[in-house]
Amino acid sequence: MSDDLPIDSEALARAEAALAALSKDYLSWAEADLVALRRALADRDWDGLHRIAHNTKGQAATFGYPLVSILAGRLCFLILTHGQPEPEQWRQAQALVDGIGRVLVGSLTGDGGEAGQQLLAELS
């Protein structure tokens, strides 16, 4: 006896359609998150920066922007490994937030192609 439940193809189609509809709005949400990330940087709000980056990391790959997820994940890691940031950590955080902005402005979906790979290399 199998624990697998039959897949309701109509329900799956409805879910995919709903996700596609939400995907159309993702860039406006992501741009609002970018503004919030920049504000947290300007305010030197390390905890707020982490909260926004964590949310961004979780949403971005779902909506076709895995590069944003990678960069936001790197930002989360930076924040979690530096309780009291020094100027160098703020500089690194700024570079990662700027990178997220470049991905969004360039609409670098998927792996971002050559531009995306170059960006990742620059921020390594």
Side-chain angles (χ1 to χ4, degrees):
M1 188 162 125
S2 172
D3 289 335
D4 294 336
L5 297 174
I7 295 176
D8 180 343
S9 60
E10 289 180 22
L12 183 59
R14 285 192 304 273
E16 288 173 345
L19 186 58
L22 289 173
S23 292
K24 293 177 185 174
D25 295 330
Y26 175 71
L27 273 180
S28 62
W29 300 336
E31 289 168 1
D33 286 344
L34 181 61
V35 168
L37 286 167
R38 288 179 173 153
R39 185 175 308 117
L41 276 171
D43 293 345
R44 294 296 200 236
D45 182 0
W46 203 236
D47 292 332
L49 191 63
H50 179 261
R51 181 181 38 75
I52 300 160
H54 181 75
N55 290 339
T56 300
K57 178 183 75 159
Q59 294 173 355
T62 301
F63 294 109
Y65 284 83
L67 288 175
V68 171
S69 262
I70 291 168
L71 297 175
R74 288 181 182 178
L75 183 55
C76 286
F77 181 78
L78 173 70
I79 293 165
L80 291 174
T81 57
H82 294 88
Q84 291 297 322
E86 298 293 327
E88 176 60 19
Q89 284 77 47
W90 285 112
R91 187 199 63 72
Q92 291 171 355
Q94 181 70 60
L96 290 165
V97 170
D98 289 346
I100 290 169
R102 287 171 57 188
V103 172
L104 296 175
V105 166
S107 295
L108 301 178
T109 58
D111 70 1
E114 187 176 322
Q117 297 316 299
Q118 181 180 351
L119 175 63
L120 287 178
E122 287 174 23
L123 295 174
S124 291

